[in-house]
Amino acid sequence: MKFSNIIIGTMRWGVWGADHSAKGVQELVETSLEEGFSTFDHADLYGNYTTEKLFGDAFSEMKIKREEVQFISKCGIQMPCENRSYGIKSYNYSRDHILKSVDQSLENLQTDYLDLLLLHRPSPLMNPEEIAESFAILREQKKVRHFGVSNFSVSQYELINDAFPLITNQVEISVNKVDAFYNGTLDQLMLKKLRPMAWSVMGDYFTEKSAQNIRLKTVIKDLCIKYETEENQLLLAFLFAHPARIIPVIGTSKSKTIKEFRGSLTIEMEAEDWFRILEASQGREVD
């Protein structure tokens, strides 16, 4: 499965963020493709279950061949809102729910297939055999080409992977959140020769004035001078420097920022600088 080196996240394109019109979505898609980013990340619940349709309506009016882009979506979270009458926020990985969720995503995105379906978050009640059966049906029907998970631990990944082969785990990784470097998540995928995906790749670096971010900014601003780059580009370069070949999912809703992120692909960060950032993040030198 081929994805672009940077995946474009759509979560903030609708009512959960910029509330773009169809024209605004089309501009973001065009900019993404111009910069070489052809993979778009969705989830059924984004925008209170409305953002997939916003994207699908806009994309359907563009003269872009479906095979030139990749669509990712997620399912499994049942979130009460004005568009869903669930009694409580919960997870559902029953066969019927997975199949219906995919059919709804295909209808919303106006496509015949998803390139990748992710289980959005692990559930204490998930049954690997039932999930595997659902995946097998979707693959047989050619509605989904590949399958993965999101926010799963190493053991949770193996629980599902043992029943049906997965190709990725999309987890939170950033200069603020470095757990995946130590908890086995990246090691596991490297052993399987699979590429992890990372969400919230900017962390709270630009939004919180924490002690951690004060340390990080001191280091990163000096490194920006050294590498002649911008802070957001360096934050991505930190992930690209890891041998797991992390694919970041960027959550911006601005064309300008999408263009800026392309610069992160050419930064060759030295190992000592990578550890300077890690040390600033953790507030201590490595053991």
Side-chain angles (χ1 to χ4, degrees), residues 176 201-209 213 217 220 230-233 235 261:
N176 297 116
V201 291
M202 297 291 104
D204 61 19
Y205 180 84
F206 292 107
T207 59
E208 298 293 331
K209 294 183 178 180
N213 283 334
K217 287 180 184 293
I220 287 173
E230 301 296 327
E231 289 173 277
N232 57 2
Q233 295 170 333
L235 297 187
F261 278 129

Side-chain angles (χ1 to χ4, degrees), residues 44 52 73 101-110 114:
D44 57 355
E52 280 187 333
S73 195
S101 293
V102 169
D103 283 343
Q104 186 64 63
S105 289
L106 295 179
E107 179 181 333
N108 289 339
L109 294 169
Q110 300 187 41
L114 296 175

Side-chain angles (χ1 to χ4, degrees), residues 59-199:
F59 187 85
S60 67
E61 297 176 357
M62 305 177 74
K63 294 180 180 179
I64 299 171
K65 294 180 180 178
R66 175 63 178 87
E67 59 270 22
E68 294 178 352
V69 296
Q70 302 82 46
F71 290 169
I72 300 169
S73 195
K74 313 176 195 73
C75 73
I77 300 177
Q78 295 187 148
M79 185 185 70
C81 63
E82 63 268 28
N83 298 308
R84 292 292 188 276
S85 58
Y86 303 126
I88 188 173
K89 187 176 183 182
S90 60
Y91 306 121
N92 188 343
Y93 290 123
S94 67
R95 168 181 158 169
D96 286 348
H97 184 78
I98 292 174
L99 298 181
K100 288 178 181 178
S101 293
V102 169
D103 283 343
Q104 186 64 63
S105 289
L106 295 179
E107 179 181 333
N108 289 339
L109 294 169
Q110 300 187 41
T111 183
D112 295 328
Y113 66 94
L114 296 175
D115 295 276
L116 174 64
L117 174 69
L118 302 177
L119 304 182
H120 205 152
R121 287 189 179 274
S123 169
L125 297 180
M126 59 189 178
N127 182 323
E129 286 75 23
E130 186 170 7
I131 290 170
E133 181 184 358
S134 306
F135 286 179
I137 291 170
L138 291 167
R139 184 171 63 183
E140 177 66 24
Q141 293 176 340
K142 298 183 178 180
K143 292 181 178 179
V144 180
R145 293 187 170 179
H146 299 279
F147 301 84
V149 294
S150 182
N151 306 298
F152 276 48
S153 69
V154 171
S155 61
Q156 290 163 342
Y157 185 100
E158 288 300 337
L159 179 68
I160 307 303
N161 186 68
D162 188 62
F164 193 97
L166 306 174
I167 70 162
T168 194
N169 191 2
Q170 187 181 117
V171 296
E172 184 178 5
I173 316 175
S174 69
V175 293
N176 297 116
K177 183 80 170 178
V178 297
D179 298 9
F181 298 147
Y182 297 103
N183 64 17
T185 299
L186 300 185
D187 304 336
Q188 177 188 44
L189 294 179
M190 290 175 71
L191 284 168
K192 296 177 183 295
K193 301 189 186 306
L194 299 172
R195 299 185 69 180
M197 296 178 181
W199 61 271

